[in-house]
Amino acid sequence: MTLPAQRHGTDPGRELAEPGFWQQPPAHRLAAFARLRTAEGPVFVPEGSGPGHWALVRHAQVQEASRLPKVFASAPGVTTPEPARWVRALFGDSMVNLDGPDHAQLRKIVQRAFTPRLLAAAEADIHAVAARIVDDVLAEQPDEFVSAVASRLPLEVICNMMGIPEHYRAEIADRVNHASENIGVERGLASRLRMPGRGLRALARMQRMVAGIGRERRKHPTDDLISALVRANVDGQALGARQLGAFFSLLMVAGVETTRNAITHGLTLLTDHPDQRDLLLSDFETYADGAVDEMIRHSTPIIQFRRTVAAEHTMDGHVFRPGDKVVLYYASANRDEAVFPDPDAFVITRSPNPHLGFGGGGPHFCLGAHLARVEMKALFRELLTRPVGLRAVGLPDLAGSNFDNRVRSLKFAFERP
């Protein structure tokens, strides 16, 4: 069999496999993706001693793969590297790593638990939490945005929705940070040996904690999501302790991290583009939905997810074989010139805006998309319409992750009249 042209000579995708690439400024990475989008078909990315993967960098490619789960499977894992078998056996499979009936059944149970009443209560809580956070900011005058604002909103909203007792929350916040701080980040040997254990211990403690709450809610249910999940009756099934723990870990690590990063990038974008901020403030309710979607497109909180080819498939002239590894680069798809005119510009009136910030469609489209949008809109309403506005100061401290567009910290200041 003749190897595809991309596998001969210099691999145009080799740069994506180099740890230093993800430490480069965002403009450098985006320029590399723009070059890869000009290739005739999927581009091969070598991975040291591993098998390498095929990079899907165009909007249409990512959408096609997302909507063909029987061809591009999430199992055995969507992260790079894939979770070890013993980790999956110990912690259970996260919903994002499941396919077919297993994924459908678990998603059905979760969707059934999100009743209209629960969602309405969550939306009301989001507005209350956003107002309280901004009250605290105005009173205390902190200067670091991620910890003071962006992390608080999704963490408090999810804990309130799940029914997590107040005395557990500080520990959960700490565990979330430990579990996610080095995902996709290149580290030295000593750190690589030490940090996986730290992250897994954090996940284990979170799962034990929520399992204990789940046992209590089975006996004494309350009006919260944990009660709904452990008592749901979907074809005679509800979430067991390990499934509940895996779902909670996904919700906390994915839901909190992605929303906090989108919020933080959003403040930076509005600071760097005062014309767009002024337009948003001129009629917040008219422009807010478009501004939120443009923040998500422009920052793309999740850079990529991995897939494993399960059946032969041809895309853009390339034949994928079972066992091939494929990576969906949402960060590139959201800058595809074929879909987004002037893709590097931040334009809150961009329409249409079919960004893939919540996935490319199909069965793995983000369950939390609606709540994330509501959270961002509520918070920016409070941040921007109070008498004393806020602005980012300097550049965000990025983690340099190849998995998510994570911000470690961002300085901010008050705008004085």
Side-chain angles (χ1 to χ4, degrees):
M1 181 181 71
T2 302
L3 290 175
Q6 290 93 333
R7 299 291 294 272
H8 292 293
T10 301
D11 292 310
R14 182 176 296 277
E15 190 174 14
L16 272 61
E18 297 172 357
F21 173 77
W22 302 99
Q23 305 293 329
Q24 294 292 326
H28 175 91
R29 303 198 303 268
L30 292 171
F33 280 125
R35 291 192 297 272
L36 293 179
R37 287 194 297 272
T38 65
E40 292 184 5
V43 175
F44 185 73
V45 179
E47 295 178 338
S49 59
H53 69 260
W54 293 94
L56 303 187
V57 294
R58 297 178 189 163
H59 190 279
Q61 292 173 339
V62 172
Q63 270 199 325
E64 182 176 341
S66 299
R67 296 176 182 184
L68 293 173
K70 292 182 180 180
V71 175
F72 298 96
S74 295
V78 300
T79 55
T80 303
E82 296 165 357
R85 289 184 180 180
W86 70 267
V87 172
R88 295 169 58 201
L90 179 62
F91 292 99
D93 273 316
S94 174
M95 189 186 300
V96 295
N97 296 331
L98 292 173
D99 298 298
D102 292 336
H103 174 265
Q105 179 70 7
L106 182 54
R107 191 174 178 104
K108 194 174 179 181
I109 293 172
V110 171
Q111 286 177 319
R112 181 73 60 86
F114 278 94
T115 63
R117 181 180 176 182
L118 188 145
L119 288 172
E123 290 196 25
D125 184 58
I126 286 169
H127 294 285
V129 172
R132 184 169 66 250
I133 288 172
V134 177
D135 286 342
D136 291 345
V137 166
L138 295 177
E140 298 167 11
Q141 305 267 314
D143 65 356
E144 200 288 298
F145 187 74
V146 175
S147 58
V149 180
S151 290
R152 279 189 60 188
L153 178 65
L155 181 71
E156 290 189 28
V157 166
I158 290 174
C159 284
N160 290 346
M161 184 171 60
M162 293 288 285
I164 302 296
E166 191 70 37
H167 61 275
Y168 285 131
R169 298 191 182 189
E171 182 179 355
I172 286 175
D174 186 57
R175 300 302 171 207
V176 169
N177 287 333
H178 287 334
S180 61
E181 64 184 338
N182 285 295
I183 297 175
V185 179
E186 179 67 12
R187 308 181 303 279
L189 177 59
S191 181
R192 287 200 303 272
L193 292 174
R194 181 177 68 253
M195 296 307 297
R198 181 181 180 183
L200 292 176
R201 284 196 300 273
L203 285 176
R205 287 170 182 164
M206 277 201 299
Q207 293 202 8
R208 284 198 298 270
M209 187 183 301
V210 76
I213 298 171
R215 287 191 295 272
E216 175 63 23
R217 298 293 159 76
R218 284 190 184 93
K219 299 174 185 175
H220 308 289
T222 57
D223 193 16
D224 58 47
L225 184 55
I226 289 181
S227 297
L229 289 169
V230 298
R231 292 171 63 83
N233 186 357
V234 177
D235 301 328
Q237 293 187 38
L239 291 194
R242 197 168 66 154
Q243 288 177 315
L244 178 64
F247 175 71
F248 181 70
S249 298
L250 172 66
L251 197 61
M252 296 306 295
V253 175
V256 171
E257 288 290 313
T258 55
T259 305
R260 88 170 195 177
N261 291 327
I263 289 169
T264 307
H265 285 291
L267 180 64
T268 301
L269 287 165
L270 291 175
T271 302
D272 292 344
H273 299 85
D275 60 322
Q276 297 300 295
R277 177 173 174 150
D278 290 345
L279 179 61
L280 176 58
L281 282 171
S282 72
D283 189 340
F284 186 87
E285 295 307 321
T286 294
Y287 295 113
D289 290 333
V292 165
D293 273 318
E294 182 68 346
M295 290 173 188
I296 293 168
R297 181 197 73 85
H298 206 278
S299 64
T300 311
I302 295 295
I303 293 172
Q304 50 99 341
F305 268 153
R306 198 175 184 91
R307 296 288 188 266
T308 298
V309 177
E312 187 173 299
H313 182 75
T314 301
M315 178 189 294
D316 290 344
H318 174 73
V319 179
F320 290 106
R321 312 287 183 187
D324 285 352
K325 301 297 181 179
V326 171
V327 171
L328 285 56
Y329 284 98
Y330 306 109
S332 176
N334 278 344
R335 300 296 179 106
D336 191 338
E337 303 83 353
V339 177
F340 305 102
D342 195 8
D344 294 332
F346 176 68
V347 183
I348 67 172
T349 55
R350 187 181 295 277
S351 181
N353 189 354
H355 68 80
L356 306 184
F358 295 114
H364 283 281
F365 187 80
C366 177
L367 270 172
H370 173 69
L371 286 178
R373 286 185 170 108
V374 174
E375 288 177 43
M376 292 179 66
K377 185 176 177 180
L379 183 61
F380 279 106
R381 181 189 290 109
E382 295 290 338
L383 288 173
L384 298 177
T385 60
R386 298 289 187 101
V388 180
L390 305 175
R391 61 180 174 83
V393 176
L395 297 174
D397 177 19
L398 301 177
S401 169
N402 66 10
F403 176 69
D404 61 352
N405 198 3
R406 197 178 325 144
V407 184
R408 290 193 178 108
S409 64
L410 174 69
K411 294 293 184 180
F412 76 109
F414 297 86
E415 292 181 336
R416 301 296 180 186

